[in-house]
Structure formats: structure tokens, C-alpha cells
Amino acid sequence: MRLLFTLGVLLLAAGTSRATIIINFTFDTTALIGHTAGPFSLNFQLNDGSGIGDANNTATIDNFNFGAGAPTGLPFLVGGAAGDLGSTVTITDSSFLNIFTQGFTAGAVLGFRLTLTTNVAGFVPDQFSMAILDSGGFEIPTMALYSFGTDAFIVIDIDSATPTVYTFASDLSRTPNAGGDPINIPDPIPEPSTTWLTMGALAAAAVRKAIGAFFN
Amino acid sequence: MRIFALLLVAVSLLKGQGLSLLTFDTDFAHILLLTHGTPDGLAHAYNTGVFWANPGNVTDTVSLVTMDGSLRHVFAPGTHGEPPNITRFNYKRTLAGAGTGLFGSIEAYGTYHPPTGHWDVFYAALYGEVTSGTITGFAGGVVGVHIATAGPLFRGGGNRGDPPPAGGGPCGPPPGGGGGFGFGGVIFNPGTGEAEVTAGDCNDDSLPITRWVFEFAGGSGMGGGEIDLLPTMQVYRALNRIIRRARITSMTQAAIDAVTQGIAVLKTTIGSNSFITPLEILPSAFETFAPLTLTRGGWRFNQGTGTLVTTVTLRNNTGAAIQGPAAFAVRAPFPALVQNRTGDLLCGSAILGPPGTAYVIVSADFPPGASRTVPIEMMGLSLTSVNQVHLTQAVSVPLPGISSCR
């Protein structure tokens, strides 16, 4: 399990108090190519902790990279989910359950950028999670089962403006529900968005320059 | 890829727009409180949907319970009336049959609208279980739910043997006819795992049943008659089998009020899985015993298994070690919904919950600062409310009723 503490990628949108984290994820999905449990689907969820669908958080997933693969079929949308793997997926927690699911043919890599607002409200946090489903709609086994009770690759409980990002490798001790051998997908590599880091660095440099000018 | 059958029924709530009628492409609303009874055959008690009725002791007593759980009024059998000082209520009418170990209850929830004198009833449910022996004879009026559509509230109810209304629907007098609303047929057949309640089954009480829950929503008392907006009642599966559901496609102003007042909840349906979500967490919903603290994680829906998964984290924020095991209770409409529970309480407590409450034991010691996260997996269907899942904890564990039940 890899934990990414998102303090370093916290951004405050100008003019608002809405915190946002931006992270790039890259998976090695070589093991999915030709696997008998396929075809596979990507499953993103942003479920509302309050239960009312307060729409206080949004996940935007874009910059998809399927390697030699590609999205397939139409998305299956629940609640505040919209978009397409071919472009951009947005999920707002406007219902209790907000789920995006769409098929894809796997290449050697799977990458995407997640932009997630991190507004905290209530006792039960909103949760963003991502899983890969097999041809039967079951989650590919991951190590998240032993801590979160679910076979997700990514879990983010939005319990602060800088929530911990949990990522997991697949679980090689269990076979997919749809059949075949265990699937080996290493712990994905989450990286803060370089675009925003660059912007942050530029902003920091500008602040330093302004402070320096003030005192000089 | 698996085709997810049926429809997603998304709830789109238009708040604060003053609409007199909203169309909901979904089932609808529940109220948060469930009540719970004591095994004396009378209709009082709080906090769960289970009520014991002594065998053969058929009662017809109605209790009104405020949302804080205090008993405000009890109607004698056969009477009705609405104290004006109650604005939210929980209606319970006990039923019993001639079986052994039978319990059952009917609950209804709603609000009182002083300007109109209406009691708007949003939700009713019947829970029951046969703990030993075989129970039959539960068709029709025996489990009739009494929500009047005209005339005094709580009057009427379909009777066993009543013909179904023209065009189908539950047994009993047709909606809007002043007689009320009833059920027919067998609810749950453990032999097959499911049984339907259909209009033609009004007299079918031949199958044995062991456990059931069914619910319907909507309606307004005291001249309301809005129940006819419901195409039919909704019936949920007991345990893991769906029995039959109907969709409510219209929602009355009363229901909107309930939602905006935070006393109703919304339901989302994905395929054959339904989830009812709350609009508020009751202040009493979360109780802890010091010194461990309990925090909740978010929810994830497992489309393959149809379960909802969340986490509970127990943490020792003190400077001293706490010896385990620790435990917490998960209050759900049916304890069996908690898939990974350690067991069910034989004896209840004010903190942990009533008898039958699911509990989870965490076999670990807690050094200072240590925490342990435990997944909680719940079956989706007949999950009366996600936030009716009340999580409580105890550090020392006198849990499964090893001491005497008081």
C-alpha cells in the first residue's frame, strides 16, 4: 500500500475556499492484456458521506492514457457521474452513490489525472475510489480488501483538505471472480500534477520575489 | 462486461423551489427513527424495527413517539387521534398471530401539518420473524398496514380476503376509497428464498414464512388521499432475495417537506440493489465509550456483490495502553445485513443498542496512539437507511448477552 499525503499538492482555488488536490496516477496494466477475466472496466466512485447528495465535492478525471488500449462501449453512469473515458469524466456527489463505469481494452499502461475537491462536511466523509472490474462486474482483487474491505486500487476519504491518498496493488493470492489466474498490477504510482506543481513553484517564486522586494 | 440489469434510478431533488409536486424516478423516502419494543405484547418502545408480541396476544395499540424517542401518546385499541403537539411521529401498531415466537410490528413515520390538520405519512414497514415453529396465515389483513387515505388516520387497512383493487395492486380497498391500504399474499418463503405479494394472492397464506420485511411509502392522512399517487406499494426482499418492488414516480409536497426538514431520506436503486440514504445523522446515532475513539470512513459500492462497504477506525488517543479486545455495535434494520459481524447481541443496552444488534469484536490491544481500521460490509437491499447504521463501541466486551438480560 502506498500513501500519498497530499499536503504538497494542496491548492486553493483563487477567490474561493475550495481545496483541491491534483494527482496523476499510472498503472502497469500489462497483466490485463489478454487475460481471461476481461474485458475490463474502469470504475470510479465519489460517494457522499452525508447521504443526501450535497454536491460539495467533484472529481474530474482526464488525461487518460491507455497505452495501446482504448475505451470501449458506453459509460454506465450513476448519480452525479458524467463524461467518457475518451475525454473527461466528472463525478459530483450529488447523490449518495455516484459511479462511473466504462469498459476499456488494456494496454501496458493506464494513466489518468485526478482533480478532486476536498471539502469536508459531516461525520462520514465523502469517498473517492477507483477499481477495475472484470467481465462480470466484480472488482479485481486488491490489497485494499484487508484495510478497506473493498478491492479498490485507490481510496481517498475526504476527511480533511489534504486527505491521505491510499493506493494498492492487486492481490496475487486471489483469482478474479470472472476466472483466470491472479492478476499482477503493481501499486500504482501517484504523482502530484507537474502542471500544478509548476504553477505552484512559480507562485511561490513570485511570492518570494514580492516579499524580497518589500523588504529591500 | 456485465450488463447491469434494470435501471439506475437516480434521485434528483429540487430543493427550495416551491414545487407542489416533484417527479421522482425512484423509490422514496424514509424517516430515520425506528422503534423497538419489549416482549410484553404492547406497542411501545424505541430504536429498532422489531417488536415482540406474545403469541396469541393480538393488540391494536398505537404509540406516537417523538423523534427523540420519548413516548408521547398511546392510543387505545380501536381509537385514533393526533395530538397537536407532536410534529414528527412514529406510529406503531403491533400485530401478532397464533404462532410461536412471532414478532412483528408496523411502523409509520411522518409529520403533522398544523395548517392543514394533515398527518403526512411517508413510510411504513413491517418486520417480523418466526423464531421457532412454523407460521402461516399471514395473508391479507393480518399484515394490513393501516394508513387511511381519507377519513381518520390509521383507519382502514386491507383485510384478508378483500379483493384486490381494479387494475391490480395490493389487497384491500382501493386507494382513495376511504378504507385504507392493505397487503396480501405471502411475504417470504424460506423454502424457495422468495415469494411475492401480488394482487391475486390475497388469500394465499399457505406458505410458511420465517422472516420478512416489507415497506411502503407515501400517503397522507386526514383527508389527504395522496396515496393514490403511488402506483402500488413497494415490497422489499427479506434477507438476500428481492421479492417485489414497485417504483414511486411521484412525490408529494409532504414528502418534499420531509426531505427538506431532514426527516426523510432518499433511495437510490442500481440494478437489483437499493440504498436508502439519510438526510441527517441523529445526534444520538453515534455513541462511544471512552477512551477509544471511533471514526467513520466513506462508502463504496461493490457492484459485483451488491454490498456497501465502509470502515470504522478505533483509535487510542490517550497516553495509556488499552487492552483489547474492543468492540463496536452496528445498528442496522436487520443485523444480518452486516455481513462481517461477529455476532448479534442477546441483551441490549442503552449504548450498544437493542437485542439483536450486530456487533464486531476487534481482537487487538491498543497502545497509546494506536488505531485499527475495520471494514464493515453491508448487504444493500433492504438496507433501510445507510445512516441508520449506528456505530457504537465498547472497550470491554460484555457483548453477547452473557449476563442476564434486564
Side-chain angles (χ1 to χ4, degrees), chain A residues 41 43 45 51-52 96 129 135, chain B residues 1-2 277 279 299-301:
Chain A
S41 302
N43 176 267
Q45 300 190 16
I52 63 174
F96 168 51
S129 61
S135 60
Chain B
M1 184 177 72
R2 175 185 180 185
T277 58
L279 291 181
W299 292 99
R300 178 172 168 80
F301 175 55

Side-chain angles (χ1 to χ4, degrees), chain A residues 4-216:
Chain A
L4 175 64
F5 297 94
T6 57
L7 184 61
V9 292
L10 169 67
L11 298 174
L12 295 178
T16 75
S17 60
R18 299 176 72 88
T20 300
I21 60 175
I22 305 173
I23 308 170
N24 291 313
F25 293 93
T26 303
F27 295 78
D28 180 348
T29 53
T30 304
L32 297 180
I33 299 174
H35 196 281
T36 56
F40 299 97
S41 302
L42 267 182
N43 176 267
F44 297 103
Q45 300 190 16
L46 178 61
N47 296 327
D48 182 42
S50 71
I52 63 174
D54 58 8
N56 70 325
N57 279 306
T58 297
T60 304
I61 306 111
D62 58 6
N63 286 5
F64 286 100
N65 174 16
F66 293 94
T72 60
L74 298 174
F76 178 77
L77 306 175
V78 173
D84 188 283
L85 290 179
S87 54
T88 298
V89 173
T90 60
I91 312 175
T92 300
D93 62 332
S94 56
S95 296
F96 168 51
L97 296 179
N98 308 278
I99 305 173
F100 177 94
T101 305
Q102 186 175 358
F104 71 102
T105 55
V109 296
L110 167 65
F112 54 84
R113 179 176 66 182
L114 168 67
T115 303
L116 179 66
T117 63
T118 55
N119 299 298
V120 179
F123 178 63
V124 182
D126 297 344
Q127 184 185 84
F128 174 85
S129 61
M130 172 264 176
I132 299 176
L133 309 184
D134 65 21
S135 60
F138 288 83
E139 297 162 348
I140 290 176
T142 75
M143 301 304 289
L145 179 71
Y146 307 106
S147 52
F148 282 91
T150 181
D151 285 319
F153 282 97
I154 302 170
V155 178
I156 306 173
D157 276 336
I158 307 176
D159 52 7
S160 73
T162 56
T164 301
V165 178
Y166 294 90
T167 62
F168 301 90
S170 60
D171 185 355
L172 298 179
S173 69
R174 293 180 291 145
T175 58
N177 188 276
D181 295 330
I183 296 174
N184 182 14
I185 298 179
D187 201 345
I189 303 169
E191 295 176 337
S193 168
T194 55
T195 300
W196 289 101
L197 283 181
T198 302
M199 292 178 62
L202 292 174
V207 169
R208 282 197 301 271
K209 183 176 181 180
I211 292 174
F214 179 82
F215 286 106
N216 292 330

Side-chain angles (χ1 to χ4, degrees), chain B residues 173-247:
Chain B
F181 196 66
F183 294 102
V186 173
I187 306 305
F188 178 66
N189 173 10
T192 62
E194 59 186 86
E196 284 201 352
V197 178
T198 64
D201 288 337
C202 295
N203 290 309
D204 185 359
D205 57 358
S206 60
L207 295 176
I209 55 177
T210 58
R211 174 179 276 191
W212 65 93
V213 54
F214 65 0
E215 305 165 276
F216 69 92
S220 174
M222 299 296 287
E226 293 162 331
I227 202 166
D228 59 359
L229 292 174
L230 310 179
T232 184
M233 66 180 180
Q234 53 182 337
V235 179
Y236 296 91
R237 67 177 183 179
L239 304 181
N240 299 334
R241 297 280 192 270
I242 189 166
I243 299 171
R244 176 185 173 188
R245 314 182 48 241
R247 286 165 48 190

Side-chain angles (χ1 to χ4, degrees), chain B residues 8-225:
Chain B
L8 156 69
V9 187
V11 176
S12 58
L13 174 61
L14 304 176
K15 289 184 177 179
Q17 298 188 15
L19 301 177
S20 59
L21 180 68
L22 286 179
T23 296
F24 273 62
D25 188 19
T26 181
D27 304 308
F28 118 108
H30 286 213
I31 309 302
L32 291 176
L33 273 187
L34 292 176
T35 62
H36 129 79
T38 53
D40 61 3
L42 297 179
H44 55 230
Y46 319 87
N47 296 335
T48 185
V50 176
F51 190 93
W52 281 91
N54 293 332
N57 180 18
V58 178
T59 63
D60 190 4
T61 301
V62 173
S63 297
L64 291 181
V65 183
T66 59
M67 295 297 280
D68 62 4
S70 60
L71 183 66
R72 299 297 299 270
H73 191 79
V74 176
F75 301 121
T79 66
H80 51 77
E82 296 81 28
N85 59 336
I86 300 176
T87 56
R88 300 178 182 181
F89 68 92
N90 180 346
Y91 158 64
K92 180 180 290 294
R93 178 179 184 274
T94 61
L95 298 169
T100 300
L102 165 69
F103 64 85
S105 69
I106 286 180
E107 302 171 61
Y109 305 89
T111 57
Y112 179 63
H113 285 209
T116 63
H118 288 194
W119 283 88
D120 296 313
V121 179
F122 310 111
Y123 165 67
L126 172 69
Y127 302 87
E129 184 172 12
V130 177
T131 55
S132 65
T134 300
I135 300 297
T136 58
F138 262 70
V142 177
V143 292
V145 174
H146 293 211
I147 293 182
T149 57
L153 186 65
F154 306 143
R155 184 174 67 83
N159 293 310
R160 179 182 173 188
D162 286 342
C171 300
F181 196 66
F183 294 102
V186 173
I187 306 305
F188 178 66
N189 173 10
T192 62
E194 59 186 86
E196 284 201 352
V197 178
T198 64
D201 288 337
C202 295
N203 290 309
D204 185 359
D205 57 358
S206 60
L207 295 176
I209 55 177
T210 58
R211 174 179 276 191
W212 65 93
V213 54
F214 65 0
E215 305 165 276
F216 69 92
S220 174
M222 299 296 287

Side-chain angles (χ1 to χ4, degrees), chain B residues 330-387:
Chain B
V330 183
R331 298 184 197 171
F334 270 126
L337 297 175
V338 185
Q339 299 297 288
N340 57 334
R341 70 193 188 283
T342 305
D344 303 332
L345 295 175
L346 296 180
C347 300
S349 76
I351 298 297
L352 291 174
T357 298
Y359 66 88
V360 177
I361 290 179
V362 182
S363 298
D365 294 328
F366 292 82
S371 65
R372 181 66 65 94
T373 297
V374 182
I376 301 296
E377 184 177 16
M378 306 197 68
M379 287 302 301
L381 256 178
S382 70
L383 219 181
T384 302
S385 168
V386 167
N387 275 359

